[in-house]
Amino acid sequence: MHAILIGAGVGGLTAALALSRRGVSVTVLERSPVLGEVGAGVQLGPNATRLLFDLGLESALRTAAFEPEAAEIRSGQTGALRLRNRLGARAVDRWGAPYLQIHRADLQKTLIQALEAAPGVGLRLGADVHDLRQDDTGVEVGLATGETLRGDIAIGCDGLRSEVRSRLFGKDAATFTGQVAWRAVVRADQLPMGLVRPVAAVWTGAGKHCVHYFVKSGRAVNFIGVVERDWRVESWSEVGSPEDLVADFAGWPEPVQAICRAAESPFRWALYDRPPLARWSVGRISLLGDACHPMLPFLAQGAAMAIEDAAVLAHKVAGAPDPVAALSAYEAARKPRTSRVQAASRFNARLFHLPGPAGAAAFAAAGLADLLTPGGAASRFDWLYGYKAP
Ligand SMILES: Cc1cc2nc3c(=O)[nH]c(=O)nc-3n(C[C@H](O)[C@H](O)[C@H](O)COP(=O)(O)OP(=O)(O)OC[C@H]3O[C@@H](n4cnc5c(N)ncnc54)[C@H](O)[C@@H]3O)c2cc1C
């Protein structure tokens, strides 16, 4: 079995490693001539860290990442605690793996180092995929240079604006959410000592919310602030004005304001919503990660879902006598779960932006439910973090 993976983001790199570990030979084709990573953090729930640890990455990830003691939701107006879910050792006890927060560059570096030592993996940079064909015996992937590669299956791991998805199913129906996400990474030593707590912090308010957490073993803080605004550029590389960021969170609790003041070159990203696809696969070609289930970032699970996809894909494909049936089985195993996570992310988008009394009431109801449920707040996340991909 030879798999061609199109795209070397978190999903493509993890899939390459997972397939190689199961004896499948892989070529990864990445459009960019260099594997630079945007300066941003990513949260990895226990559902994702468990799988990355299974691939042998525990020590490297633990060294580079930060392990928060809890996730806390607070009012952006008063600072009052609304919900708290203990993480740290509690996450390991309950879900069998830690909750980690990591800079994307560190995650990418960890995956690439592991791939360099993995048998049967070729990574080609500057390989822009322009054409895809298949017949009963295999797939043909055409590059912009005119070169053609042949394999048994091809997987589009090519992100939000997937070329492979458009070729299989036509253009997607992306709808602007009316929300724009700020993102910035700030050095921890630029902030007053002890001001930012070692938690995954979510601050909610009318029409806006923000999230911050440590990365780089506590040496930097990743910030994401989401505001409702009509500005529609969906890109990781759009620079915003530091003054506008400070103004958006003026009057919010001091940790939020201090991070915003320290953010020297914040970026902006317009959030678009895309409904679940009816199908992911056609014959020997399928999709993985944002290419098939792009999601809003309000459950911090986009990369985690790509990592789960990678593990399930490798499990279904390795040793399978019929590649078409294997890709159908992969899709059937993954689609219900990723659709549920897409819906839960969308729900949080509304919850986090409810105005004062409505927001307070919604969180009070959730807090009461937590008190009445065995396992408390943690039990709300069992379906998400406790998932064991085969
Ligand atoms: C503000 C924000 C915060 C987020 N926070 C989190 C979080 O905390 N936790 C989490 O789990 N997720 C988070 N996410 C989501 C996460 O970033 C994505 O879900 C994840 O990166 C998707 O990985 P991927 O490999 O599917 O796609 P990508 O990382 O987008 O990779 C796609 C790759 O394909 C390449 N490519 C594209 N077209 C071609 C082509 N034609 N030929 C060859 N190569 C091609 C691209 O260059 C790219 O390298 C967040 C997202 C946003 C916007």
Side-chain angles (χ1 to χ4, degrees), residues 6-12 29-32 41-44 104 127-129 157-160 163 181 183 213 224 236 269 271 288-291 297 300-304 306:
I6 299 156
V10 175
L29 303 173
E30 167 57 47
R31 158 192 282 170
S32 301
V42 64
Q43 308 203 58
L44 296 173
R104 280 165 191 273
D128 194 356
V129 171
C157 317
D158 50 345
L160 275 182
E163 170 77 23
R183 65 177 175 79
Y213 52 86
I224 295 164
W236 279 110
W269 165 284
L271 294 171
L288 181 150
D290 276 4
Q301 280 286 323

Side-chain angles (χ1 to χ4, degrees), residues 182-376:
W182 288 101
R183 65 177 175 79
V185 179
V186 170
R187 283 203 334 266
D189 63 10
Q190 290 175 278
L191 301 167
M193 182 92 88
L195 179 68
V196 177
R197 291 167 35 70
V199 298
V202 182
W203 305 81
T204 63
K208 58 181 81 170
H209 82 281
C210 66
V211 177
H212 58 76
Y213 52 86
F214 284 101
V215 291
K216 294 207 166 284
S217 315
R219 285 177 282 115
V221 175
N222 187 68
F223 176 86
I224 295 164
V226 177
V227 295
E228 291 174 9
R229 179 155 308 142
D230 192 3
W231 179 86
R232 301 181 181 219
V233 185
E234 190 183 37
S235 157
W236 279 110
S237 52
E238 267 308 298
V239 179
S241 130
E243 294 76 26
D244 288 349
L245 170 60
V246 169
D248 272 345
F249 291 95
W252 280 49
E254 187 50 22
V256 174
Q257 294 204 59
I259 296 170
C260 290
R261 283 195 301 269
E264 284 160 11
S265 50
F267 290 85
R268 291 187 297 172
W269 165 284
L271 294 171
Y272 281 74
D273 199 8
R274 293 169 173 86
L277 290 178
R279 296 171 63 193
W280 296 1
S281 312
V282 175
R284 291 168 176 264
I285 305 174
S286 191
L287 301 169
L288 181 150
D290 276 4
C292 48
H293 46 68
M295 58 186 72
L296 296 169
F298 306 127
L299 205 58
Q301 280 286 323
M305 288 301 112
I307 290 165
E308 288 186 5
D309 288 348
V312 176
L313 176 76
H315 175 72
K316 299 292 183 195
V317 158
D322 177 357
V324 176
L327 292 185
S328 293
Y330 153 72
E331 177 181 328
R334 292 298 299 152
K335 212 169 155 318
R337 174 161 169 88
T338 55
S339 301
R340 182 176 179 189
V341 174
Q342 281 176 298
S345 304
R346 197 173 293 125
F347 175 81
N348 277 359
R350 288 195 298 276
L351 177 67
F352 290 171
H353 288 201
L354 287 174
F363 285 111
L368 185 62
D370 287 348
L371 276 177
L372 298 174
T373 312

Side-chain angles (χ1 to χ4, degrees), residues 115-179:
L115 277 177
E116 280 166 0
V121 179
L123 171 59
R124 289 188 50 179
L125 302 180
D128 194 356
V129 171
H130 269 210
D131 196 20
L132 270 176
R133 291 162 204 271
Q134 60 179 314
D135 57 30
D136 289 346
T137 59
V139 291
E140 265 186 12
V141 178
L143 303 185
T145 53
E147 186 187 350
T148 301
L149 288 93
R150 212 173 152 78
D152 296 299
I153 56 171
I155 311 294
C157 317
D158 50 345
L160 275 182
R161 286 185 287 263
S162 168
E163 170 77 23
V164 179
R165 181 183 64 218
S166 332
R167 284 187 170 271
L168 294 182
F169 305 115
K171 290 282 170 212
D172 69 352
T175 323
F176 177 53
T177 58
Q179 296 173 332

